[in-house]
Amino acid sequence: MMHRPPPEDFALKETRPHLGGGKVSGDKLTSTYDLVEQMEYLYVRVVKAKDLPGKDVTGSCDPYVEVKLGNYTGKTRFFEKKSNPEWNQVFAFSKDRLQASVLEVTVKDKDVVKDDFIGKVIFDLNEIPKRVPPDSPLAPQWYRLEDRQRNKVKGELMLAVWMGTQADEAFPEAWHSDAAVVSGADANIRSKTYLSPRLWYLRVNVIEAQDLQPGGKGPYPEVFVKAILGNQASRTRISPVRSINPMWNEDLMFVAAEPFEEHLILSVEERVAPNKDEVLGKSTISLQYVDKRFDHRPVNSRWFNLEKNVVVEGEKKKETKFASRIHMRICLEGGYHVLDESTHYSSDLRPTAKQLWKSSIGVLELGIRDAHGLVPMKTKDGRGTTDAYCVAKFGQKWVRTRTIIDSFAPKWNELYTWEVFDPCTVITIGVFDNCHLHGGDKAGGAKDSKIGKVRIRLSTLETDRRYTHSYPLLVLHPNGVKKMGEIHLAVRFTCSSLLNMMHMYSLPLLPKMHYLHPLTVSQVDNLRHQATQIVSMRLGRAEPPLRKEVVEYMLDVDFHMWSMRRSKANFFRIMNVLGGLIAVGKWFDQICNWKNPITTVLIHILFIILVLYPELILPTIFLYLFLIGVWYYRWRPRHPPHMDTRLSHAESTHPDEMDEEFDTFPTSRPSDIVRMRYDRLRSIAGRIQTVVGDLATQGERLQSLLSWRDPRATALFVIFCLVAAVVLYVTPFQVVALLAGFYILRHPRFRHKLPSVPLNFFRRLPARTDSML
């Protein structure tokens, strides 16, 4: 049996920290840095120098600047043979770790044996000015260099020295004293903001080809079209028209990212043997000139010439066959939202085309304060150590905090903001160990280790309320669930217009094109896989890179994989939903058996009244739901939902089942027969798992109508129940029944392809998928 920690060890804890900043005044959307503790830093901006004396016969030097404060020393880069260098580098020293009363800024000449002293500038810390944004940045000044005896020497240094906080504009780009032990890895430890590439769906409608020249011997050529875009490849079926003018009329879908650097390569190929295809012609199309469409209206089709590569004496020569051409309709779809994350945890639901975006409804502020109790993630000098940083993702914007070197209780105290366009979205915060410091990536195979992840659904937050909680960082291992530490977060969702937000609950969750021209389930899964690969590749090219393992963990790339534990959890979620119906049945059975005579008599009286006056049935039901919703308001959830180990069955899973979950796919079993059967079982069970989870989601959304998990949705439903009760009370029941019947049986001409308002409202309700581990 596995050791099970106490349940409170995995629970969410509310904290009441002393946070910086003041009250929000004036414009609510202004960041006040009141979600994090205020941290003071001594900033030194080294701009440039002039008239530096040379030490060699040429009169020039190789200067660099050394900034020293107590035991902490930071150095700029050095220039070769330059008397007027420009550095423009910023150094930040935490006030909590100041161990000296003076700051020394020394200019030195780089030398092979020993660096030569040129001059220095000394500052008394008591005389350094303070700066608090939004004050203007402090202007740098020229300072005369002094020798070790405080005498003026030749040369001047331009500096700006001030006391500030982490709200300072110089904070992200500064060298930090926390990273003094790291050499040559400044880029890997700084905070950074990233933007996901703008993704489009590329639709290639292959219609027909004309005047092909088949190379096969048979009279009926088997021809198909193959399309390649970057690492994506797709092909049509073999044309049912076996002639030199084949027809397909088939759609191929790809994911394309701006800027469109890759070309679409189409080739018409003939099946000449069971495993041999011959290319009849190729066409290369630049996406820069492809039409973009924002709605369901068709775009114009075009004919494209096919070229054929002919090998002449070992060299490829293009031979253009103007007689052979292909008829296609190609467009970039701007009306879809390109899914690059799990639909359960989506942080953005807007279409690709900016022309279709609606205005924002509010601002999300996230204060990443600190963590404590982190476990050692690697070994350095014979002892365990952790270099932790956080990544947060919402919409297209990713943020990365600075890396705190060698600390199990790192303090970041960094604040980030996002525009919110839909309240029914999720922000994801992940904590990782930086494995690319101290020469950890010399072998080239080092990966940043995951410490844990937190997900927060915005619709479960009350507007304008500051949430400060300590979230446990939970990760699944082959031997069970493990707590890797805790992270302190402060979250606030500020609404700019309550009316606009309430209106969002009546709109479709996804853009219109997803309902007018829906994609198949297999298409969505395949395109999502391609989108995540593109995002991870683009973010991996940034500096510092957001590495592939980090992006895939944040986007839940392997969430669809089969897991016995997750399947059991979904089954018990359904049983929990059905438990309410079972409880009603037991209660009715008690009424029938006169377990409580007073209640049974009251039910008899109510039954007689409703039979004699059937028009009271619906008003009574809605009034009853209204009263239940008001009654449950007292016990509404006061904390954001978090990973629930009991709900996920992570605590009670058998070790063999956990070993199965961490088995490779395909399986690592030795027998080929067992591998085939096992993989087939996992594939089928994965689909069943998804269906069972979706059923559980629908039931939990029904439960959330009156649970105040989404305070705005419950408020809307409770008000609707009250209004419905009043309207149905004054309207004859026969009229209501006739209208409802005629509406349900209405002609298809009066139906709309878009979902109805009640269905849109229902799909926006939160389920317990956010709390699934």
Side-chain angles (χ1 to χ4, degrees), residues 422-532:
D422 196 311
C424 303
T425 46
V426 176
I427 182 172
T428 304
I429 304 102
V431 186
F432 302 89
D433 174 54
N434 196 329
C435 295
H436 294 79
L437 306 177
H438 315 297
D441 57 347
K442 286 182 180 177
K447 291 186 176 182
D448 287 355
S449 304
K450 56 189 179 186
I451 300 178
K453 181 166 54 181
V454 176
R455 288 189 289 254
I456 302 174
R457 182 173 290 272
L458 270 60
S459 63
T460 62
L461 305 177
E462 297 178 11
T463 53
D464 299 321
R465 177 186 167 187
R466 185 169 65 184
Y467 290 85
T468 53
H469 289 86
S470 175
Y471 296 81
L473 298 170
L474 307 176
V475 172
L476 281 175
H477 288 276
N479 57 353
V481 65
K482 184 177 180 182
K483 181 178 177 180
M484 310 291 284
E486 294 188 5
I487 182 172
H488 292 174
L489 300 175
V491 184
R492 180 169 55 210
F493 175 31
T494 306
C495 171
S496 57
S497 172
L498 184 61
L499 189 62
N500 287 343
M501 186 184 300
M502 293 298 190
H503 176 62
M504 291 296 297
Y505 282 88
S506 67
L507 300 178
L509 196 62
L510 292 169
K512 292 181 179 180
M513 285 293 289
H514 286 270
Y515 307 101
L516 299 177
H517 288 279
L519 303 173
T520 63
V521 175
S522 59
Q523 277 182 318
V524 171
D525 289 342
N526 181 54
L527 293 172
R528 178 182 173 243
H529 173 73
Q530 300 297 341
T532 55

Side-chain angles (χ1 to χ4, degrees), residues 146-439:
E146 301 174 348
D147 60 15
R148 291 186 173 90
Q149 287 75 36
R150 305 295 300 269
N151 297 319
K152 302 292 184 182
V153 295
K154 183 182 179 183
E156 292 184 72
L157 185 63
M158 179 178 279
L159 298 171
V161 183
W162 72 95
M163 295 295 297
T165 66
Q166 73 268 39
D168 203 290
E169 296 89 346
F171 181 78
E173 65 181 76
W175 171 95
H176 288 270
S177 57
D178 296 337
V181 297
V182 179
S183 59
D186 282 354
N188 276 321
I189 62 175
R190 286 180 177 170
S191 57
K192 186 79 172 181
T193 300
Y194 306 83
L195 287 178
S196 293
R198 194 171 171 207
L199 302 178
W200 295 74
Y201 282 146
L202 174 67
R203 187 187 296 271
V204 181
N205 178 226
V206 183
I207 303 173
E208 59 181 330
Q210 192 178 76
D211 297 334
L212 297 180
Q213 297 181 6
K217 298 180 181 179
Y220 305 109
E222 298 182 354
V223 183
F224 63 91
V225 177
K226 184 177 179 180
I228 299 175
L229 180 66
N231 297 325
Q232 308 169 66
S234 184
R235 49 164 288 180
T236 67
R237 67 188 187 279
I238 293 176
S239 172
V241 179
R242 306 293 179 86
S243 71
I244 63 172
N245 298 319
M247 298 187 67
W248 295 276
N249 197 24
E250 189 173 340
D251 279 353
L252 304 178
M253 297 290 291
F254 300 92
V255 178
E258 291 185 354
F260 302 118
E261 301 169 346
E262 296 160 337
H263 291 71
L264 176 67
I265 301 173
L266 291 120
S267 60
V268 181
E269 302 185 13
E270 180 189 6
R271 177 70 48 84
V272 295
N275 293 317
K276 185 179 179 182
D277 301 323
E278 182 181 338
V279 178
L280 302 181
K282 279 189 176 182
S283 182
T284 302
I285 301 168
S286 173
L287 300 187
Q288 302 281 356
Y289 307 105
V290 170
D291 294 334
K292 298 177 181 178
R293 74 168 183 175
F294 308 134
D295 51 27
H296 61 281
R297 286 177 291 188
V299 297
N300 296 326
S301 60
R302 290 176 55 194
W303 287 93
F304 296 89
N305 293 326
L306 293 175
E307 300 173 347
K308 189 171 183 180
N309 293 331
V310 181
V311 178
V312 181
E313 296 180 359
E315 296 182 359
K316 284 188 177 180
K317 179 183 177 183
K318 282 189 178 180
E319 179 186 341
T320 304
K321 299 287 186 181
F322 288 103
S324 298
R325 54 182 187 165
I326 187 170
H327 190 200
M328 292 185 297
R329 184 179 286 110
I330 304 177
C331 66
L332 289 164
E333 299 279 10
Y336 290 90
H337 169 68
V338 180
L339 292 166
D340 61 346
E341 51 196 341
S342 172
T343 51
H344 295 299
Y345 317 125
S346 185
S347 62
D348 189 14
L349 300 168
R350 292 173 295 170
T352 299
K354 291 184 178 180
Q355 295 91 326
L356 303 179
W357 290 2
K358 294 180 172 59
S359 58
S360 65
I361 60 170
V363 170
L364 172 66
E365 298 171 86
L366 172 68
I368 303 177
R369 295 178 50 226
D370 56 31
H372 67 270
L374 298 184
V375 299
M377 299 301 295
K378 57 179 177 284
T379 303
K380 179 196 172 191
D381 300 331
R383 64 180 182 87
T385 181
T386 297
D387 306 322
Y389 68 92
C390 293
V391 174
K393 194 257 186 208
F394 186 78
Q396 289 185 315
K397 179 180 173 183
W398 299 63
V399 297
R400 167 181 175 155
T401 67
R402 70 192 189 282
T403 300
I404 305 298
I405 306 299
D406 193 13
S407 175
F408 300 131
K411 290 187 176 182
W412 295 285
N413 282 305
E414 297 183 23
L415 181 68
Y416 298 98
T417 59
W418 287 266
E419 279 190 305
V420 178
F421 295 87
D422 196 311
C424 303
T425 46
V426 176
I427 182 172
T428 304
I429 304 102
V431 186
F432 302 89
D433 174 54
N434 196 329
C435 295
H436 294 79
L437 306 177
H438 315 297

